[in-house]
Amino acid sequence: MKILQDDLTRADTLALIRAHVTELAGHSPEESCHALDIEALRGAGITFWSVWEGNTIAGCGALKALDETHGEIKLMRTADTHLRRGVAAKLLEHIIKEARSRGYERLSLETGTPAAFAPAQRLYERFGFETCPPFGDYREDPYSLFMTRRLNEPSYSAPPKSSCRQAS
């Protein structure tokens, strides 16, 4: 698998993002859905990556700069064809390394609370993320779970591939 910085022009990438946004909308009311659409993902301060296995998209993810020391994982998605194959874990490890290289001290995310988000929550927990209060412009919401982790932990290592699950 290769992780590439993506300019959001490939049809496969766009289709995966659209499927992601559509699926998330089915789990939360509109006012509680914080997924970014394609134009927003092209915005300033956001870096987007896609994961490829040969010519097939396996997943995608984005990192948003909140300030000089704090980043937010803004999107994580594994293609249905690549579920349970370590895509999300590999991408999350890549995003964490990138956040560290930028000098971020903390990396946070918002994910859903419905049962469909349990695999994502477990993945983030395995990578050291803990529940936290809302950050940035977020507000308390029964459909949102906020998580964060400090990046200055000296002994970070990825979990074994066998424990990887899809992230949303």
Side-chain angles (χ1 to χ4, degrees), residues 128-144:
F129 286 84
E130 299 176 339
T131 302
C132 67
F135 58 91
D137 294 332
Y138 292 108
R139 303 284 177 255
E140 283 292 339
D141 184 325
Y143 290 92
S144 290

Side-chain angles (χ1 to χ4, degrees), residues 36-48:
L36 297 180
D37 64 18
I38 293 162
E39 286 309 310
L41 288 168
R42 290 180 175 138
I46 297 177
T47 306
F48 184 88

Side-chain angles (χ1 to χ4, degrees), residues 2-30:
K2 288 186 359 182
I3 298 174
L4 305 171
Q5 191 165 333
D6 196 308
D7 64 3
L8 295 158
T9 58
R10 291 180 170 178
D12 292 349
T13 302
L14 300 177
L16 185 58
I17 295 167
R18 286 185 187 110
H20 178 70
V21 171
T22 299
E23 182 181 330
L24 294 182
H27 296 289
S28 305
E30 186 176 342

Side-chain angles (χ1 to χ4, degrees), residues 51-134:
V51 183
W52 296 85
E53 188 169 62
N55 292 324
T56 304
I57 191 161
C60 60
L63 174 62
K64 178 181 179 180
L66 296 177
D67 62 39
E68 293 178 4
T69 63
H70 190 190
E72 178 184 4
I73 296 171
K74 211 42 216 161
L75 179 143
M76 287 276 295
R77 180 65 180 206
T78 300
D80 290 345
T81 56
H82 286 74
L83 293 175
R84 316 272 185 285
R85 293 175 54 191
V87 174
K90 183 174 180 147
L91 183 57
L92 184 54
E93 186 173 40
H94 177 84
I95 290 172
I96 291 169
K97 285 179 183 177
E98 177 64 24
R100 278 195 172 134
S101 76
R102 293 179 183 188
Y104 294 166
E105 296 170 7
R106 186 164 63 122
L107 188 57
S108 301
L109 61 95
E110 180 273 340
T111 190
T113 57
F117 296 91
Q121 294 169 11
R122 287 191 299 269
L123 173 72
Y124 297 132
E125 288 169 354
R126 279 193 297 276
F127 273 80
F129 286 84
E130 299 176 339
T131 302
C132 67

